[in-house]
Amino acid sequence: MTGKIKLIKLSLSSLFLAAAYVLPFITGQIQQIGNMLCPMHIPVLLCGFLCGAPWGAAVGFIAPLLRSLTIGMPVLFPNAVSMAFELCVYGFMTGFMHKLLPKRKLYIYVSLIVSMISGRLVWGFVQFMLLGFNTTEFPFSAFFAGAVTNAVPGIVLQIVLIPILVILTQKLEKNMKKSA
């Protein structure tokens, strides 16, 4: 990877990290569904698609911990810790799957859905491990509510928004290469 490409990916990753930090402030103003929109997930998923697996994983892992340590939201234990692993998997898997699969619309959805399922499973596993060590139960109903039921608006938003942004970015990149 050339130095110029590394610099571009570092710059974009910094931008995605900043977006992951700021977006919850915006959606938090909508009390009923603010957290259900999963605002940190969108920049992390995009970072994986656009910058690659290592960058997406790093942004995903850092974002919830940074917010927790600087403003106290999400609460560090167990929320920010389990979110760090979940978002790390999101960023890694979108980058990995996008690199592995053809760059067609269908495969963007495949990459996104596989990443979302993988991340939610990791979140559940980490929650189970953390709460198990804390002698608090983490039943399947709590996993399902946290991973699916409470996150439906965010899941829908991600499935609609992320592919559109990735496709637009790919078209922009093609046009820039043609004109260069």
Side-chain angles (χ1 to χ4, degrees):
M1 184 184 312
T2 68
K4 183 178 178 182
I5 292 173
K6 281 184 183 177
L7 183 60
I8 290 169
K9 289 186 178 190
L10 175 64
S11 300
L12 284 172
S13 296
S14 300
L15 197 69
F16 288 124
L17 180 60
Y21 191 88
V22 172
L23 277 175
F25 289 121
I26 297 167
T27 62
Q29 303 307 311
I30 308 165
Q31 295 292 337
Q32 293 79 10
I33 61 167
N35 288 339
M36 293 168 38
L37 290 175
C38 307
M40 278 196 282
H41 297 56
I42 293 168
V44 171
L45 290 163
L46 284 172
C47 186
F49 273 116
L50 303 179
C51 299
W55 297 97
V59 168
F61 192 78
I62 293 168
L65 298 175
L66 180 64
R67 284 194 98 245
S68 180
L69 293 172
T70 57
I71 61 170
M73 290 301 288
V75 176
L76 184 60
F77 183 86
N79 298 357
V81 174
S82 57
M83 280 182 70
F85 286 97
E86 172 191 18
L87 296 182
C88 178
V89 169
Y90 281 173
F92 178 82
M93 288 299 291
T94 53
F96 176 74
M97 298 288 293
H98 191 59
K99 184 176 182 179
L100 186 70
L101 298 173
K103 306 294 181 269
R104 295 197 310 258
K105 189 185 298 186
L106 170 68
Y107 295 107
I108 293 170
Y109 283 98
V110 169
S111 299
L112 178 62
I113 291 168
V114 167
S115 301
M116 291 168 68
I117 291 169
S118 301
R120 293 194 190 294
L121 290 173
V122 166
W123 172 83
F125 176 76
V126 173
Q127 281 279 92
F128 178 78
M129 295 303 293
L130 292 175
L131 294 175
F133 289 126
N134 199 29
T135 66
T136 304
E137 289 188 25
F138 187 66
F140 181 76
S141 59
F143 164 74
F144 193 77
V148 180
T149 308
N150 297 342
V152 167
I155 291 168
V156 170
L157 180 65
Q158 292 163 22
I159 289 173
V160 170
L161 185 64
I162 300 294
I164 291 169
L165 294 174
V166 171
I167 291 165
L168 287 174
T169 304
Q170 287 176 341
K171 286 181 182 180
L172 179 64
E173 189 177 14
K174 276 184 187 177
N175 290 339
M176 289 177 69
K177 284 181 182 178
K178 283 181 186 177
S179 64

